[in-house]
Amino acid sequence: MTRGRTSPCGFWGAAAPSPPVRFGSGGAERSRVGTGRELRVRLRAAARPRPGVCGTERTGRERGSSNMGLELYLDLLSQPCRAVYIFARCNNIPFEFKRVELMKGQHKTEEFRKVNVLMKVPALRDGSFTLAESVAILMYLARKFKTPDHWYPSDLQKQARVDEYLSWQQAHIRGKGSKLFLSKMLIPLLTGQPLPPEKVEGATEELNVVLNQFEEKFLQDRPFIVGNNVSLADLVALVELMQPVASGYNLFEERPKLAEWRRRVEEAVGTQLFQEAHEEILNAKNVTADKIAPELREHFKQQLLKQVN
Amino acid sequence: MGLELYLDLLSQPCRSIYIFARTNNIPFEFKHVELFKDSVLGKKPAAAASSAERPRTGPSNSEGAGKISLLKKVPALKDGDFTLAECTAILLYLSRKYNTPDHWYPSDIKKRAQVDEYLSWHHANIRANAPKTMWIKVLIPLFTGQPLPSEKLQEVMEGLSTSLKQFEERFLQDKAFIIGSEISLADLVAIVELMQPVGVGCDIFEDRPRLMEWRRRVEEAVGKELFFQAHEMILNIKELSNIQIDPQLKEHLAPVLMKMLK
């Protein structure tokens, strides 16, 4: 099967379009998207007070069992999934959380393929309408649920600034942040040994170049990327920066302006929600290789090594 | 001072903006930036490239281009005091400001989402490999003086092939255009990228009849004359191979270019 270089995606980098993986006799690891997490999320949501700009909480009915409601297919280890999750929760958008565990290869199952033939998370299903790509999903949600204007301003120039950032970030903040995460954490996890220090240093240096660009061009002296309020640009930026942070590179330490901006963004979405969304990735250090389905380990290893070379 | 668009038609994103503005009769001043003459072939060497495919213009003969965009790339837009980079952002800005026909970026939120989805996916997929064909077949041999091993091109073509399969399966399917019966920004952004390998002799439409049909429809929708005018440079790219390059510049750039290929 021909397999070329494909895109970085979330936690993993490329999910190459190989034939869908089936978990056969395993029993427990039946290839279905999990629902266990939903209950925990529901309970936490009910218990939490609602600070920040995101308004008052609607309780209970938001996670109905209706099959015709909005479904979001997510793995919170993935940066774009976190952006979608935080945005939806922060704006009280009712949805069913469909967990797709990348480490178990659930994004490669036939079932998930029906939702997204590109086999990537995040993915959205709204009745018969399916959608991939986090930026498209965020904008769809913003429009459908008429979220507050500051998320994606109707002002022509402000909107253009959000578009500009969301486009630039793919190859830059997202690209370099992912690369460092892979180099520092994920690849060593899969291969059982660290990468040569020059590789990690190189990836760190590349990330710092784009961080400088981010501060100089996009943030400058403003409280947020666009004007005085949080937008999709800030949300997408911050969840991406948490990935290298999770691998042990504390990029906020020597960048006070960035650290301040981070604090503002967290407050704007709700500190508790932000922390909850990042719980898994911040504990990723504790993941051991045996948590990853063995038939996937080799495949992931090959994919990821290509991305950092 | 009206709208200014800083463009080099060798660059795919520049072509999509050029075609979009022209086909919609958007009045603009074409500020020609010649990536290779001004920064790469010119007396002022390019700044080190940090992004995958496009060299930075650096200080250029047309001073405007260097100043207006801190990111120093093409395409760039200047509208009074407002400057903007990034192809997608520029296309959306133009479509909104000049109220272009709805089908380009439909007001129906599901169709709009389909355009957004394509524009996002495009970056890391079609655009990851298509530009490399030009680097491998024309530019790198031009600067290093020798061709690359055939496996390099093969790898890139395989990657492109995979992306094209997904393009047909997810985005185009059996429709006339990506969103259905009418052309949108998604088709435009896709087609200009796919003309890059065509220009250097890797005709990806050759054994893909459905894609070829779609290409014909896109050309007609924007206007064949405009389409070919926009693509004149890339379709004659082989002429670039005859340019004499200063050996010192060659030496300076060769490692940078090789790195860009990765």
Side-chain angles (χ1 to χ4, degrees):
Chain A
M1 159 119 202
T2 56
R3 192 176 297 184
R5 297 215 20 201
T6 51
S7 63
C9 161
F11 184 69
W12 290 105
S18 52
V21 170
R22 290 188 204 287
F23 299 102
S25 52
E29 291 314 339
R30 178 74 177 88
S31 57
R32 285 158 57 81
V33 295
T35 54
R37 195 179 154 77
E38 291 175 69
L39 182 60
R40 263 165 49 219
V41 170
R42 211 179 305 176
L43 290 173
R44 271 191 223 161
R48 184 178 326 116
R50 297 292 295 154
V53 300
C54 295
T56 49
E57 164 115 335
R58 277 187 248 143
T59 55
R61 65 188 300 277
E62 58 187 86
R63 277 175 209 88
S65 54
S66 160
N67 281 335
M68 291 314 287
L70 180 71
E71 297 172 341
L72 295 176
Y73 290 78
L74 308 170
D75 182 336
L76 296 183
L77 289 172
S78 137
Q79 308 91 304
C81 287
R82 293 197 294 272
V84 169
Y85 178 73
I86 290 171
F87 184 71
R89 287 286 316 278
C90 173
N91 285 288
N92 296 304
I93 291 170
F95 70 94
E96 197 178 340
F97 186 117
K98 296 288 219 175
R99 190 174 192 200
V100 179
E101 287 190 79
L102 295 172
M103 286 206 276
K104 292 182 180 157
Q106 289 178 349
H107 55 304
K108 292 180 184 290
T109 60
E110 270 303 322
E111 192 167 328
F112 182 63
R113 205 170 185 278
K114 290 183 197 144
V115 177
N116 183 14
V117 71
L118 301 169
M119 290 187 287
K120 288 191 183 168
V121 286
L124 168 154
R125 182 153 65 180
D126 192 4
S128 56
F129 178 65
T130 60
L131 191 62
E133 299 293 316
S134 62
V135 168
I137 292 172
L138 288 167
M139 292 189 177
Y140 177 77
L141 293 176
R143 288 161 183 149
K144 176 161 179 166
F145 294 93
K146 298 186 168 47
T147 53
D149 188 68
H150 62 81
W151 285 110
Y152 192 47
S154 42
D155 172 82
L156 191 65
Q157 292 186 2
K158 285 190 175 159
Q159 196 169 41
R161 287 274 168 254
V162 176
D163 292 331
E164 190 185 45
Y165 179 75
L166 292 177
S167 174
W168 177 84
Q169 63 94 28
Q170 267 188 322
H172 297 84
I173 295 285
R174 173 162 170 67
K176 306 305 179 188
S178 296
K179 189 171 174 180
L180 184 55
F181 176 79
L182 295 184
S183 308
K184 252 181 104 80
M185 213 187 95
L186 193 51
I187 292 175
L189 177 70
L190 289 167
T191 59
Q193 56 196 14
L195 280 178
E198 318 85 69
K199 285 253 181 227
V200 180
E201 270 156 32
T204 307
E205 187 46 48
E206 287 178 36
L207 178 59
N208 275 291
V209 168
V210 303
L211 286 173
N212 292 338
Q213 290 176 325
F214 178 72
E215 290 199 60
E216 282 163 37
K217 155 77 181 172
F218 293 100
L219 193 55
Q220 294 178 12
D221 290 318
R222 293 185 290 266
F224 297 98
I225 293 172
V226 179
N228 292 321
N229 213 334
V230 74
S231 71
L232 292 177
D234 304 282
L235 179 57
V236 165
L238 185 52
V239 297
E240 289 291 345
L241 291 176
M242 294 305 290
Q243 208 78 350
V245 167
S247 72
Y249 181 62
N250 194 351
L251 57 98
F252 292 106
E253 216 162 47
E254 285 164 19
R255 292 174 183 267
K257 201 162 64 151
L258 268 195
E260 272 305 297
W261 163 81
R262 169 186 171 176
R263 194 189 44 80
R264 284 189 290 268
V265 178
E266 284 189 38
E267 266 179 40
V269 304
T271 316
Q272 231 167 326
L273 169 61
F274 186 87
Q275 280 168 10
E276 183 213 311
H278 285 86
E279 200 181 317
E280 272 187 72
I281 194 64
L282 290 174
N283 286 318
K285 286 194 272 301
N286 301 328
V287 170
T288 46
D290 56 313
K291 291 254 169 69
I292 303 170
E295 57 268 42
L296 294 173
R297 231 178 280 163
E298 193 54 40
H299 167 72
F300 283 138
K301 214 196 317 181
Q302 295 310 319
Q303 276 296 306
L304 301 180
L305 279 170
K306 263 197 219 163
Q307 282 186 38
V308 296
N309 284 328
Chain B
M1 213 170 39
L3 178 71
E4 297 173 350
L5 294 175
Y6 291 79
L7 307 170
D8 179 342
L9 295 183
L10 271 182
S11 139
Q12 309 86 304
C14 288
R15 292 198 293 271
S16 63
I17 290 167
Y18 178 75
I19 292 173
F20 183 71
R22 290 283 317 276
T23 201
N24 285 291
N25 298 307
I26 293 171
F28 69 94
E29 197 181 334
F30 185 114
K31 296 289 215 178
H32 196 196
V33 176
E34 291 182 286
L35 284 173
F36 290 100
K37 273 176 84 179
D38 293 347
S39 62
V40 178
L41 298 182
K43 299 192 175 86
K44 300 167 187 174
S50 66
S51 83
E53 282 91 34
R54 287 169 293 185
R56 293 178 158 214
T57 59
S60 86
N61 288 344
S62 64
E63 278 203 357
K67 283 184 192 153
I68 61 151
S69 169
L70 284 178
L71 296 173
K72 294 203 173 83
K73 284 184 190 168
V74 284
L77 169 154
K78 189 167 194 286
D79 194 2
D81 287 331
F82 180 65
T83 62
L84 190 64
E86 298 296 317
C87 174
T88 299
I90 293 172
L91 287 169
L92 293 179
Y93 177 83
L94 292 176
S95 75
R96 288 163 181 149
K97 178 161 179 176
Y98 295 92
N99 282 313
T100 53
D102 189 69
H103 62 82
W104 285 109
Y105 195 54
S107 40
D108 172 82
I109 63 167
K110 287 186 175 156
K111 290 205 163 146
R112 182 166 286 200
Q114 286 180 293
V115 177
D116 290 333
E117 185 189 50
Y118 181 75
L119 293 177
S120 174
W121 178 87
H122 171 87
H123 266 300
N125 292 275
I126 301 280
R127 188 150 170 73
N129 281 307
K132 289 181 185 171
T133 55
M134 180 159 109
W135 288 101
I136 293 175
K137 287 200 81 172
V138 177
L139 296 172
I140 291 179
L142 183 65
F143 282 95
T144 60
Q146 51 201 6
L148 285 173
S150 61
E151 301 90 67
K152 281 278 173 196
L153 184 63
Q154 209 185 346
E155 201 183 305
V156 165
M157 292 309 288
E158 277 177 14
L160 192 51
S161 200
T162 300
S163 298
L164 287 171
K165 201 156 157 266
Q166 289 185 316
F167 178 77
E168 291 198 58
E169 198 178 5
R170 168 64 182 173
F171 297 100
L172 189 57
Q173 296 168 3
D174 290 321
K175 297 168 281 172
F177 298 98
I178 291 171
I179 59 159
S181 56
E182 287 186 284
I183 192 173
S184 72
L185 291 176
D187 305 279
L188 184 55
V189 164
I191 194 83
V192 296
E193 199 73 51
L194 293 175
M195 291 304 288
Q196 209 78 346
V198 170
V200 302
C202 302
D203 193 346
I204 51 100
F205 293 103
E206 220 160 39
D207 46 6
R208 294 186 173 90
R210 195 159 57 153
L211 272 191
M212 189 64 225
E213 277 308 302
W214 163 78
R215 171 184 163 179
R216 266 195 266 270
R217 286 190 288 269
V218 174
E219 287 178 18
E220 267 177 45
V222 303
K224 284 206 173 131
E225 212 181 292
L226 171 60
F227 186 85
F228 283 105
Q229 191 228 330
H231 285 92
E232 204 180 321
M233 275 178 87
I234 190 64
L235 291 172
N236 291 306
I237 189 71
K238 293 281 165 94
E239 283 175 18
L240 198 66
S241 320
N242 299 326
I243 291 179
Q244 294 294 329
I245 303 187
D246 180 77
Q248 224 180 6
L249 191 61
K250 266 195 203 181
E251 206 183 291
H252 172 73
L253 280 175
V256 176
L257 294 176
M258 290 307 297
K259 200 168 173 226
M260 278 175 76
L261 189 61
K262 292 179 179 166

